[in-house]
Amino acid sequence: MKNCLRIALLAGAIALFFSILAVSCKKDDTILYNFTTTGNVVDGQFISDDGDLFIVTDRTCTGSFEGMERAMISCDILRKNGPNSYDIRLNGIVRMLVKDAVQASTADESAIGNDPISLETGWFSGGYMNIHGLITYKKDSETMHFINLVYDDINSGADTLRFTLRHNGYGEIYGAPEVEKKDLLLGRVCASFPVERYIPAGAESIPVKVSWSWYKTDETGRLTVETETYSIIGTLSTRP
């Protein structure tokens, strides 16, 4: 009986080996997996900031480009159709809020607010400053928060462009008397601001300083009601 059991196990192992081998030998022509890019939605089609047309022929996620002006996607590039055209498997899609920057000299301070917002990731592409940020919001609230990028047209110059990321949470922030901290959640903000026009005439690139205000943390790493100003410097270029 033991020998029969060993033979059965061996036969099963051999069958499993050839099954795995058959799968591993299956041809896979996928060009690139888990590719992430940002671009504009034109006539219902996605065109990346590098000028590539991505045609969705397969998907693993829900959602569509309907009603979007700009989006960030995650995809597998399946095949090339021709110059700057690819078939993709769409794995994820995020709508990007698109807004012009506000001029500091004419900004309505009471409207744009000065509530905490954290710049988690920022990058330049397609003439836009793209940001992923964090804000606080009240659970089950229908309040629309106000997100803006303010261009400091007073102190910016040929040496550096200066911007501030601003947020009006309409009371849905830590420390607000009308809301308890336990009722607040962290939410993600995804936005694109066209900024290429701020590059001085004749310049190919210029340093950019972006500032924002976010909560301080205590010794355990938890957010407190106190805030601190942060900043980062990058380079905006007219070159691809």
Side-chain angles (χ1 to χ4, degrees), residues 75-128:
C75 67
D76 301 327
I77 301 178
L78 302 178
R79 65 191 63 87
K80 185 172 184 178
N81 296 316
N84 305 111
S85 178
Y86 299 87
D87 288 343
I88 66 167
R89 179 187 299 114
L90 186 63
N91 299 323
I93 178 172
V94 176
R95 176 182 177 270
M96 303 289 288
L97 171 70
V98 180
K99 297 186 71 174
D100 287 326
V102 177
Q103 301 285 105
S105 60
T106 58
D108 182 346
E109 289 290 325
S110 62
I112 63 176
N114 199 27
D115 292 331
I117 181 171
S118 176
L119 177 58
E120 298 295 291
T121 307
W123 70 99
F124 298 114
S125 64
Y128 293 88

Side-chain angles (χ1 to χ4, degrees), residues 124 129 150-153 155-164 195-200 205-211 232-237:
F124 298 114
M129 181 190 298
V150 177
Y151 171 61
D152 187 349
D153 55 332
N155 297 306
S156 292
D159 59 334
T160 304
L161 300 178
R162 292 172 170 81
F163 295 90
T164 304
V195 293
E196 193 172 53
R197 65 189 179 93
Y198 294 106
I199 299 178
S205 63
I206 188 171
V208 175
K209 182 178 181 180
V210 183
S211 303
I232 190 171
I233 295 179
T235 301
L236 177 61
S237 176

Side-chain angles (χ1 to χ4, degrees), residues 6-237:
R6 288 171 183 164
I7 291 172
L9 290 174
L10 179 60
I14 292 173
L16 178 60
F17 170 77
F18 280 108
S19 176
I20 294 173
L21 183 62
V23 172
S24 64
C25 291
K26 185 178 179 181
K27 187 176 181 181
D28 185 356
D29 294 327
T30 301
I31 297 174
L32 186 63
Y33 285 99
N34 301 319
F35 181 68
T36 301
T37 187
T38 309
N40 296 320
V41 180
V42 181
D43 296 329
Q45 293 186 308
F46 181 85
I47 300 177
S48 75
D49 287 339
D50 291 325
D52 295 320
L53 171 63
F54 285 173
I55 302 171
V56 179
T57 58
D58 191 11
R59 61 170 58 236
T60 62
C61 67
T62 58
S64 71
F65 296 119
E66 184 176 358
M68 292 187 184
E69 179 180 351
R70 187 166 169 79
M72 186 177 74
I73 67 169
S74 173
C75 67
D76 301 327
I77 301 178
L78 302 178
R79 65 191 63 87
K80 185 172 184 178
N81 296 316
N84 305 111
S85 178
Y86 299 87
D87 288 343
I88 66 167
R89 179 187 299 114
L90 186 63
N91 299 323
I93 178 172
V94 176
R95 176 182 177 270
M96 303 289 288
L97 171 70
V98 180
K99 297 186 71 174
D100 287 326
V102 177
Q103 301 285 105
S105 60
T106 58
D108 182 346
E109 289 290 325
S110 62
I112 63 176
N114 199 27
D115 292 331
I117 181 171
S118 176
L119 177 58
E120 298 295 291
T121 307
W123 70 99
F124 298 114
S125 64
Y128 293 88
M129 181 190 298
N130 307 288
I131 67 104
H132 285 178
L134 289 178
I135 61 171
T136 53
Y137 71 98
K138 189 175 180 180
K139 183 181 179 181
D140 299 324
S141 172
E142 295 183 359
T143 299
M144 296 292 292
H145 290 222
F146 204 29
I147 309 298
N148 279 288
L149 183 70
V150 177
Y151 171 61
D152 187 349
D153 55 332
I154 300 172
N155 297 306
S156 292
D159 59 334
T160 304
L161 300 178
R162 292 172 170 81
F163 295 90
T164 304
L165 195 59
R166 301 282 289 270
H167 167 221
N168 189 341
Y170 295 98
E172 297 187 349
I173 60 171
Y174 291 151
E178 63 274 16
V179 61
E180 295 187 37
K181 189 174 182 179
K182 66 180 179 60
D183 295 328
L184 292 174
L185 301 173
L186 289 178
R188 186 166 297 280
V189 175
C190 300
S192 294
F193 303 93
V195 293
E196 193 172 53
R197 65 189 179 93
Y198 294 106
I199 299 178
E204 291 187 347
S205 63
I206 188 171
V208 175
K209 182 178 181 180
V210 183
S211 303
W212 65 94
S213 176
W214 186 239
Y215 302 102
K216 291 183 179 180
T217 57
D218 61 20
E219 61 277 3
T220 67
R222 294 180 179 178
L223 299 178
T224 70
V225 298
E226 296 184 42
T227 61
E228 187 173 356
T229 299
Y230 301 85
S231 63
I232 190 171
I233 295 179
T235 301
L236 177 61
S237 176

